[in-house]
Amino acid sequence: QQQVKQSPQSLIVQKGGISIINCAYENTAFDYFPWYQQFPGKGPALLIAIRPDVSEKKEGRFTISFNKSAKQFSLHIMDSQPGDSATYFCAASIKAAGNKLTFGGGTRVLVKP
Amino acid sequence: DGGITQSPKYLFRKEGQNVTLSCEQNLNHDAMYWYRQDPGQGLRLIYYSQIVNDFQKGDIAEGYSVSREKKESFPLTVTSAQKNPTAFYLCASSILPGSSPVRGYTFGSGTRLTVV
């Protein structure tokens, strides 16, 4: 039972391009949607997060777009750099259910110089 | 410097053997979590704990056990009942989602377990 579906599984983008990763969720009770970045052999690190009362959040080159009616949210990486090459995970949680994170399957991003 | 320490970084287990993965945090977080990561499957929740001496099963708890005797520590035991234990194990912690808007997890660097 996968409550958060992430696509694509992998992505290749040229330096300076835009990386776009999409996630769809099923449970309308989710009230927190973070994105994590993971480098090989390391634990994930929180990148940016959004709540469902906001349609967009931007932090530097990273932007989350949120569509509550479609139950979808996406991560945009602007001006992609080789250092952004990593695996990205979307996730969702419910505050009332103890804030347990349910993760998407991950997207491996490769930024070519 | 606050953070989460997982040890060992690499662990090899023989068939039928129990092994324990260590997770320690000095962030004063109340909640701690164990996730398993397999290629292409994202992270799946094994166990979590919100308070000392209490913990709950996650989605894939079978073949695993945990304890939470101290706030700082949340060790995971992979028992011989876990038929496919080879994976990357990640420990995380967070504050409880009370009045604070901060809800993100802090992850450790992981333990890679291999059955030999």
Side-chain angles (χ1 to χ4, degrees):
Chain A
Q1 166 195 0
Q2 187 178 3
Q3 294 193 58
V4 180
K5 295 184 179 180
Q6 185 172 344
S7 63
Q9 283 189 309
S10 62
L11 181 61
I12 300 175
V13 63
Q14 292 295 128
K15 179 183 176 182
I18 303 174
S19 303
I20 302 174
I21 305 169
N22 301 298
C23 283
Y25 63 96
E26 299 167 5
N27 190 341
T28 56
F30 285 137
D31 56 9
Y32 177 70
F33 301 88
W35 284 88
Y36 284 82
Q37 179 189 56
Q38 184 181 31
F39 293 104
K42 303 295 184 183
L46 179 64
L47 196 59
I48 187 173
I50 199 168
R51 286 177 173 75
D53 54 344
V54 176
S55 61
E56 185 175 284
K57 183 175 182 180
K58 183 177 180 179
E59 290 185 2
R61 295 185 293 108
F62 300 92
T63 299
I64 299 179
S65 297
F66 187 84
N67 186 329
K68 189 173 182 178
S69 60
K71 294 188 286 185
Q72 294 176 347
F73 59 110
S74 60
L75 176 70
H76 291 61
I77 306 174
M78 312 300 287
D79 188 26
S80 297
Q81 300 296 311
D84 296 331
S85 297
T87 299
Y88 294 82
F89 293 95
C90 62
S93 69
I94 305 169
K95 179 177 178 178
N99 199 34
K100 297 173 294 178
L101 282 175
T102 298
F103 285 85
T107 297
R108 183 174 292 185
V109 175
L110 175 63
V111 181
K112 289 193 167 183
Chain B
D1 222 7
I4 296 184
T5 301
Q6 289 188 243
S7 62
K9 189 171 179 66
Y10 299 96
L11 186 57
F12 298 90
R13 193 196 91 167
K14 295 180 180 179
E15 294 283 350
Q17 194 177 46
N18 292 357
V19 290
T20 298
L21 284 59
S22 171
C23 178
E24 303 277 334
Q25 55 101 357
N26 60 3
L27 299 165
N28 199 32
H29 285 170
D30 291 296
M32 297 187 74
Y33 313 83
W34 275 105
Y35 282 86
R36 169 179 171 144
Q37 185 173 19
D38 296 282
Q41 293 195 45
L43 283 70
R44 293 181 290 165
L45 182 64
I46 304 173
Y47 269 98
Y48 67 103
S49 167
Q50 295 185 325
I51 193 170
V52 174
N53 292 323
D54 188 44
F55 46 83
Q56 287 77 41
K57 294 181 179 180
D59 301 319
I60 56 165
E62 185 175 351
Y64 300 97
S65 66
V66 293
S67 63
R68 187 87 186 276
E69 297 178 0
K70 299 186 300 181
K71 185 176 182 178
E72 301 79 17
S73 179
F74 192 40
L76 173 75
T77 296
V78 184
T79 74
S80 57
Q82 171 50 238
K83 298 307 178 187
N84 185 24
T86 295
F88 190 49
Y89 290 87
L90 288 159
C91 179
S93 70
S94 74
I95 63 170
L96 290 176
S99 57
S100 169
V102 178
R103 292 172 57 178
Y105 287 11
T106 299
F107 280 89
S109 294
T111 292
R112 188 166 298 280
L113 174 63
T114 304
V115 174
V116 295

